[in-house]
Amino acid sequence: MAALNADKGPLFKVVLLGEAGVGKTAIFHRAKDNSFQEKRKNTVGIDSFSMYIKVGDQQVTLGVWDTAGVERFRTITNSYYRGSHAAVLVYSVDEPSSLHYLGHWIRDLEEHAPNAKKILVGNKKDLKCQISTETVELFNTSNECTFCALTSAKTGEGIQDIFKDVAELLVQGYQENSSKGTSLDLDSADRRGGCCS
């Protein structure tokens, strides 16, 4: 269940997962302060920030967490996953192996946060896609991802939409699990587009 803050509405924890180099930290910084660095210095640790999103008349806070280089050493602990409501599973559209290796992250997520929603995100859509739509859709379906989308942290395309869609998805679940009121109709699938095109 989400934590409730009187001023900021429900607080949901969203973690970014995926191999080193797919652009998780670039997505994180694009969402946080709309910045992008072509060659970002590798940091090691965990970074997070709060993102405030309006869903209908509901204020929502997303606590967004990034591994910030720790994935290189496979030292992510269960505390990173603990309490996660959603995971943004990031692969690079120009690197097929980055999609394949997401399976490791999904297994860890399902062990430590089995109820977290899974969102599949193909980053670097500004580059030529090297993964077929069928491959992505099969991965998406077989791993029970809630939805998939394409982004470019470099251009900023799709980044804000991803977090807005995640917020709407989590508010739906929050309202359905709450005894107060009825859930909002928050379908935003039309903004998500295909998984790889």
Side-chain angles (χ1 to χ4, degrees):
M1 193 65 155
L4 190 58
N5 178 313
D7 298 325
K8 310 290 189 207
L11 167 63
F12 299 105
K13 181 177 179 180
V14 179
V15 293
L16 295 169
L17 297 175
E19 292 297 292
V22 296
K24 297 183 305 300
T25 300
I27 289 173
F28 178 90
H29 284 284
R30 181 62 83 176
K32 181 181 179 183
D33 51 27
N34 199 28
S35 67
F36 178 80
Q37 290 179 17
E38 191 74 52
K39 294 292 183 188
R40 190 175 293 278
K41 181 179 159 191
N42 289 329
T43 54
V44 177
I46 303 296
D47 202 358
S48 66
F49 78 100
S50 294
M51 192 173 193
Y52 306 104
I53 298 176
K54 198 89 164 163
V55 177
D57 58 1
Q58 173 81 68
Q59 174 76 37
V60 178
T61 304
L62 296 184
V64 182
W65 292 62
D66 177 35
T67 55
V70 178
E71 77 281 4
R72 294 174 186 275
F73 308 104
R74 294 283 176 194
T75 56
I76 294 176
T77 63
N78 63 0
S79 61
Y80 179 76
Y81 296 97
R82 192 180 301 124
S84 297
H85 298 93
V88 177
L89 301 159
V90 185
Y91 68 96
S92 178
V93 301
D94 70 330
E95 183 50 67
S97 66
S98 66
L99 179 65
H100 171 75
Y101 286 122
L102 275 178
H104 301 298
W105 299 102
I106 289 171
R107 282 192 290 279
D108 286 350
L109 177 70
E110 289 175 344
E111 180 182 347
H112 299 300
N115 297 319
K117 301 287 187 188
K118 297 186 286 274
I119 292 84
L120 183 62
V121 172
N123 190 37
K124 304 186 184 181
K125 72 171 288 187
D126 51 290
L127 302 176
K128 183 171 172 53
C129 186
Q130 303 292 334
I131 308 171
S132 72
T133 302
E134 293 74 22
T135 299
V136 176
E137 287 175 352
L138 179 62
F139 185 94
N140 186 56
T141 303
S142 62
N143 288 286
E144 300 179 331
C145 298
T146 306
F147 66 88
C148 62
L150 294 173
T151 62
S152 169
K154 184 173 184 176
T155 67
E157 185 179 351
I159 302 295
Q160 294 301 321
D161 286 344
I162 287 296
F163 290 102
K164 181 134 179 45
D165 287 350
V166 169
E168 291 175 348
L169 176 71
L170 293 173
V171 165
Q172 271 188 320
Y174 175 75
Q175 290 180 337
E176 287 164 7
N177 291 329
S178 171
S179 57
K180 309 173 212 162
T182 58
S183 64
L184 300 173
D185 178 18
L186 298 170
D187 183 23
S188 56
D190 56 315
R191 285 209 313 277
R192 296 170 190 158
C195 294
C196 187
S197 56

